[in-house]
Amino acid sequence: MPDTQRPEWWFYHLSRTALEVAAPPLMQKCLEAGWRVLAVSPDMERLAKLDAALWTFDDASFLPHGQAEAPGLDAARQPVLLSAKLKNANNADALVLMDGTDAPVEAPFKRCMVIFEDGDKDTRARAREQFKAAKDSGLVTRYFQQTSAGGWKEAGV
């Protein structure tokens, strides 16, 4: 990413579905844009559930991905890399932060996407802090709330 480009920060507030259901379509949109994705969570159980969801969320296809911690995995070749660590081993353009994972506000990505579940108060509070930090730094910030149908509606914040 050129030094002149600063990341956009997009926030996804889940209230209807689990993260494992909501994240795959967002990742698919990134791949359709020609971007690689790094998805980070310190929760290995979350990563395992997301791994399974990426294989099955669409009956017609799957999202090519791998888990960074898997033995023998060539992380650099993975279009979507699931990881417990914030290490851009697949040269990702989009960063997906889950379960309160933090990244520098000027992280070297085109887009940083924070996905958080409404019922997780600690993660929701962390997302608010991240939103404020990005906004205070003059970065593009967008906030989406899940609709009753499971889609997204941008909310004015």
Side-chain angles (χ1 to χ4, degrees), residues 11-26 46 50 96-99 114-121 123-124 127 143-148 150-153:
F11 296 80
Y12 294 89
H13 186 158
L14 299 171
S15 58
R16 302 280 182 211
T17 59
L19 189 146
E20 295 81 17
V21 173
L26 296 173
R46 164 84 74 204
L50 186 54
V96 177
L97 299 170
M98 303 171 288
D99 302 309
V114 178
I115 304 174
F116 60 99
E117 295 172 328
D118 189 63
D120 185 340
K121 292 180 182 179
T123 299
R124 194 173 68 214
Y143 179 84
F144 299 90
Q145 290 184 308
Q146 203 168 34
T147 67
S148 58
W152 298 103
K153 180 179 180 185

Side-chain angles (χ1 to χ4, degrees), residues 66-111:
Q67 290 197 45
E69 289 75 21
L73 179 81
D74 185 355
R77 296 188 57 180
Q78 303 306 311
V80 175
L81 184 63
L82 309 178
S83 181
K85 298 177 184 164
L86 185 62
K87 179 182 176 191
N88 194 358
N90 68 332
N91 197 28
D93 303 288
L95 173 64
V96 177
L97 299 170
M98 303 171 288
D99 302 309
T101 304
D102 200 13
V105 73
E106 293 282 354
F109 297 88
K110 292 178 182 176
R111 182 168 303 147

